[in-house]
Amino acid sequence: MALNDQARGSSLLSAGKLDVAIAASLAAAIFLWLFALPLADPADLDDLGLVSILPAQYWTALVLVISAFAASLHPLSRVALLRPASLVALVILLHATPAIVYGTLRYSWAWKHIGIVDYIQRHGTVDPTAPFLAAYHNWSGFFRFFALFADWFNLGPLQVADLARFFSVISSLIFIVLLKFIFRSFTDDRRLQWAAVWIFLCANWVGQDYFSPQAFAYIFYLAVLALCLGPLMPQGSRSHSGVGRMLREFRVMFTSYTSHQRQVQPVLRILATLAVFASIMIIVASHQLTPLLLICSLAALSVMTPLSIGYPVLAGLGVAFWIVYPAAPFTAMHLPAEVASLGDTLEGVTGKLVNTAKVSSEVAIVTWSGRILSALVGLMAVLGWLRRLRAGYRDGVVCALLAAPFPVMLVTSYGGEAIFRIYLFCLPFLAFFAACLFFVSRNSGRGTAVSVVFAVTSMFLTAGFLLANNGKDRQYRFSGQEVAAAYWVYAQAGPGTLLVEGARSYPSQFSNYENFTYLPIANERPEEVAKILADPAAVLSRWFREPNWKDGYVIVTRSQRAYVEALGKMPEGALDELVTALAQTPDFQLVFSNDEAVVYRASRFLP
C-alpha cells in the first residue's frame, strides 16, 4: 500500500513538473516573440515572403509553442488550460506577427471590403444596381455590420483598416472555440479534440480568414454545425415509416454517432433554434457561396443523423428568398450568365494555379508549399481514417461532412477560386482524421514517442503554413507610404475619374471607390500589355483623351512592381520605365510622390 502511494506521488510530481515546464515554455515563447518583432524589417521582404525576415528568436518561439502543445497532450499533463493556451499562442505567432510587423492591412481585397463599409457610412445604405463590386451591394450583411460598428466608434476607412489587420487573429480564436464544440460531438477524447483544432490552424493556409465576407460567414457556418451537432441533435429517430427504418439501418451501418449523452433543457433548445435561424440568415445575407455549402452540410447531417430535414430546407428557402427579393437587381442582370457557366469550377481550377515554370524559384517554392501542405494533410487524414476504421469506429458523420462541399463544384460558376473555398470547408474534418493518426482512441498515443512525432509533424505543418499563407507578402504587404498615396488620390478625385493602375495589388478602392473607373494594366491581355509598354505615354494619353472622363490619374506603387515581377505579368523594371515615360511627356504631371509610390495626373484635367 505504501509502495502504491509512493508511486502515485512520484507520478503526480512528474505531472506537476511537466505542466510547469509547459507553462514556462509558453511564457518564454511569448517573450522571444515580443523580442523578435522589432528585428523583422518588412522592407527586406523577398519572394519567400514573411519567412525571409523572421529572426531566429521567432523560430525558437515557434518551436517552444509546438513543443508545449505536444507535451500537453501527454497523459502526465494534468492542467487542462495548457492546451487552449498553446493554441492561442500559436494563433498569435502565426497571425498577429504580420499584422504587427507590417503595420498596415495586407491583401488588396481587404481594402476593397473597407471601401464598401465606407460607402455605407457615407450613403447610409447600399446600391443594389451598382455597376462595380455589385455582389457586395447585394450580399451586404458583413459590410452593414462593420459600417454600424465604424459609425458607433466614429471610425474612418483608415481607422477601420488599422483594426481589420487583426481580423485573422480574432477569427482564428473564434474558430478554436467552435471547432472544439464540433469535435466534441465526434469523440469524447479531449486529446483528439484539441489535436484536431491544432492541425486545422496549422493547415488553414488558403487565407480565407482575413477581413472578408467569407471569414465572417464561415464563423456562422461553424456555429450552425456546432449547434446542430450539439443541443439541436435529437436523441434518436422518431419516424416509424419505411424510410425512417431504412435510414436508421443505414446510420447503424455507417456511423456510431453518439452526440448527446445528457438531456437538453427545452429553453436551451429554443435558444439554439433561434441562434441557428439567425446564423443562417446572416450567412445568406453576407456571402454567395457559403449558404450553398451550408445546405449541403446540413443535408448530409439529416441523412447521417436524426437531425431534422427542416434545417437544410430552411437554409434553402433563405437562399431562394435572398436571390428573389433583396438581390433581385443582381439576379436579373447576372443570372443568365451564371446559369450558362455552371460547372466552370472544374474547368477553372488550373487557371487559378500558378504555373511554376514561369516564375522565380522563390515563388515556385511558395506555390509548392501550399500544394504539399494540402497533400500532407490529406494523406494524414486518409491514414487516420483507416486507423479509426480498423479500431472499430464508424465515422460516417465526419465523412459525410467532409464530402458535402464537393457538389458545389458542379453547381457554381466560381471558377478555380472555389477549390480553395472547398478546401477550407473540408479542412475541419480533414484535421479531425489527421489527428486520429496520432490519437485513434483513448488508450492510444500515450507514449512520449507519439508526442515527439506530433511535434515534428507540427513543425513541418507550421513551416508550410508560413510559406503558403505569407509567401506572397512582398506583393500583398503595403507600406504606409503606399496607403498615403492611394488615400490622396481617393480624396482628390470626383465622379467620372479614370484611374490607371500598374496592377491591382495595392491598397485600393477603400474610400470614395464609386467615383472611379479602374484600369489595371497588368490585367490586360499580354499582347495589349506589350503595346502599352512599347509607348506608354502615347497609349495612356489616348485613353485619357476620351470625352467621357472628367479626371484622370495614374498610380504606380512598390507592391504593384512586386506583383507583376513575381508572377511574370511584365518584364522586370517595366513599371519603372512606364513612370519614366510619363515624367518625360507634357501630357502628364507628377502630383504626388514618396519613396514607394507615384501619382501622375493627366494634364488636360489640370486647372
Side-chain angles (χ1 to χ4, degrees):
M1 186 71 174
L3 287 176
N4 288 339
D5 290 341
Q6 184 179 0
R8 189 179 301 110
S10 175
S11 176
L12 290 174
L13 181 62
S14 298
K17 287 183 177 179
L18 179 61
D19 287 334
V20 169
I22 293 171
S25 295
L26 292 175
I30 296 301
F31 174 80
L32 286 171
W33 174 72
L34 291 171
F35 186 81
L37 291 177
L39 302 178
D41 186 354
D44 295 332
L45 283 168
D46 62 21
D47 284 338
L48 289 178
L50 182 64
V51 299
S52 64
I53 63 170
L54 293 174
Q57 291 87 342
Y58 175 89
W59 297 107
T60 305
L62 187 59
V63 170
L64 286 173
V65 170
I66 292 171
S67 302
F69 181 75
S72 74
L73 298 174
H74 195 279
L76 286 177
S77 178
R78 306 293 174 82
V79 180
L81 286 177
L82 291 174
R83 293 170 185 171
S86 300
L87 287 161
V88 171
L90 180 69
V91 168
I92 290 173
L93 263 65
L94 294 183
H95 294 282
T97 299
I100 295 173
V101 169
Y102 300 158
T104 58
L105 180 64
R106 62 192 283 265
Y107 197 44
S108 62
W109 278 102
W111 290 91
K112 294 175 177 63
H113 298 157
I114 291 173
I116 304 297
V117 172
D118 170 70
Y119 183 98
I120 296 173
Q121 285 185 272
R122 289 183 289 108
H123 296 273
T125 187
V126 294
D127 179 9
T129 62
F132 193 67
L133 299 179
Y136 290 159
H137 286 269
N138 286 271
W139 281 267
S140 58
F142 167 79
F143 305 106
R144 289 180 184 272
F145 174 83
F146 282 99
L148 183 62
F149 175 84
D151 285 339
W152 278 346
F153 293 96
N154 196 27
L155 302 177
L158 294 182
Q159 289 75 36
V160 174
D162 197 44
L163 294 175
R165 60 194 171 110
F166 293 98
F167 194 84
S168 63
V169 177
I170 298 170
S171 61
S172 295
L173 293 176
I174 297 174
F175 294 163
I176 291 174
V177 177
L178 295 175
L179 289 171
K180 179 62 167 62
F181 278 102
I182 291 172
F183 295 146
R184 191 175 67 174
S185 300
F186 304 149
T187 178
D188 59 0
D189 185 347
R190 293 182 179 180
R191 296 175 309 152
L192 178 53
Q193 296 167 13
W194 288 117
V197 176
W198 175 273
I199 292 174
F200 173 90
L201 293 176
C202 293
N204 185 22
W205 66 269
V206 292
Q208 297 298 323
D209 48 12
Y210 73 107
F211 184 74
S212 64
Q214 172 69 94
F216 186 72
Y218 190 68
I219 289 171
F220 288 96
Y221 167 85
L222 294 178
V224 170
L225 291 189
L227 291 169
C228 288
L229 288 165
L232 293 178
M233 183 62 64
Q235 295 294 312
S237 176
R238 298 191 179 96
S239 174
H240 300 289
S241 66
V243 175
R245 287 193 299 270
M246 290 176 59
L247 278 176
R248 284 198 300 273
E249 293 174 1
F250 174 80
R251 292 164 186 160
V252 169
M253 289 176 58
F254 290 101
T255 180
S256 54
Y257 184 77
T258 55
S259 173
H260 271 305
Q261 299 299 327
R262 57 184 182 274
Q263 294 290 332
V264 178
Q265 296 295 324
V267 173
L268 178 59
R269 188 178 293 275
I270 292 172
L271 291 175
T273 303
L274 293 175
V276 164
F277 177 79
S279 297
I280 289 174
M281 293 314 300
I282 290 171
I283 293 169
V284 167
S286 299
H287 199 238
Q288 293 171 286
L289 184 63
T290 303
L292 303 180
L293 292 159
L294 179 64
I295 293 170
C296 292
S297 296
L298 292 177
L301 284 180
S302 295
V303 172
M304 301 303 298
T305 71
L307 184 73
S308 170
I309 192 67
Y311 291 104
V313 170
L314 175 63
L317 290 174
V319 171
F321 164 76
W322 199 266
I323 290 175
V324 171
Y325 184 63
F330 184 92
T331 303
M333 184 176 298
H334 297 280
L335 184 60
E338 293 283 323
V339 173
S341 59
L342 288 179
D344 280 358
T345 295
L346 291 174
E347 298 178 4
V349 167
T350 55
K352 276 292 180 180
L353 299 179
V354 174
N355 186 345
T356 55
K358 296 183 178 181
V359 296
S360 68
S361 58
E362 291 84 0
V363 175
I365 290 172
V366 169
T367 301
W368 278 106
S369 294
R371 298 174 186 178
I372 293 172
L373 177 57
S374 302
L376 176 60
V377 173
L379 176 61
M380 290 168 59
V382 171
L383 296 176
W385 172 73
L386 290 173
R387 285 201 71 193
R388 290 275 288 184
L389 193 63
R390 185 177 179 182
Y393 292 94
R394 299 187 301 278
D395 295 304
V397 174
V398 187
C399 292
L401 289 171
L402 175 59
F406 285 93
V408 175
M409 295 184 69
L410 303 176
V411 297
T412 67
S413 59
Y414 255 66
E417 178 69 20
I419 193 66
F420 299 107
R421 311 294 178 91
I422 288 173
Y423 174 80
L424 175 67
F425 283 85
C426 290
L427 186 55
F429 316 108
L430 289 172
F432 177 80
F433 281 131
C436 292
L437 183 60
F438 304 93
F439 310 105
V440 68
S441 68
R442 273 184 168 276
N443 296 321
S444 67
R446 302 179 69 84
T448 302
V450 173
S451 296
V452 172
V453 173
F454 186 88
V456 172
T457 303
S458 296
M459 291 175 190
F460 280 105
L461 293 176
T462 51
F465 173 92
L466 288 168
L467 278 170
N469 185 263
N470 299 103
K472 297 180 180 179
D473 282 359
R474 181 168 167 258
Q475 46 188 290
Y476 289 160
R477 164 256 167 186
F478 311 127
S479 69
Q481 291 184 319
E482 291 178 276
V483 174
Y487 187 71
W488 184 90
V489 172
Y490 299 136
Q492 296 295 317
T497 297
L498 174 63
L499 180 59
V500 176
E501 310 155 321
R504 300 314 320 263
S505 188
Y506 76 105
S508 65
Q509 303 172 6
F510 59 88
S511 178
N512 301 315
Y513 93 92
E514 72 278 11
N515 288 345
F516 300 85
T517 296
Y518 305 90
L519 204 163
I521 297 174
N523 287 7
E524 296 291 302
R525 296 191 306 272
E527 57 271 22
E528 293 299 322
V529 172
K531 293 179 181 179
I532 295 168
L533 297 179
D535 193 353
V539 174
L540 268 59
S541 295
R542 186 171 67 252
W543 289 352
F544 286 109
R545 282 197 295 268
E546 293 290 333
N548 49 315
W549 305 126
K550 298 180 179 179
D551 205 346
Y553 294 84
V554 180
I555 182 169
V556 176
T557 72
R558 177 209 55 81
S559 55
Q560 293 178 16
R561 295 185 182 93
Y563 173 81
V564 299
E565 292 174 6
L567 297 184
K569 297 285 186 178
M570 297 182 192
E572 186 173 352
L575 288 181
D576 290 325
E577 294 177 5
L578 182 146
V579 169
T580 300
L582 295 183
Q584 294 174 349
T585 175
D587 290 344
F588 294 91
Q589 179 174 322
L590 181 67
V591 290
F592 186 95
S593 176
N594 57 38
D595 291 341
E596 300 212 343
V598 294
V599 178
Y600 282 85
R601 189 180 186 187
S603 298
R604 66 179 289 251
F605 302 116
L606 292 172

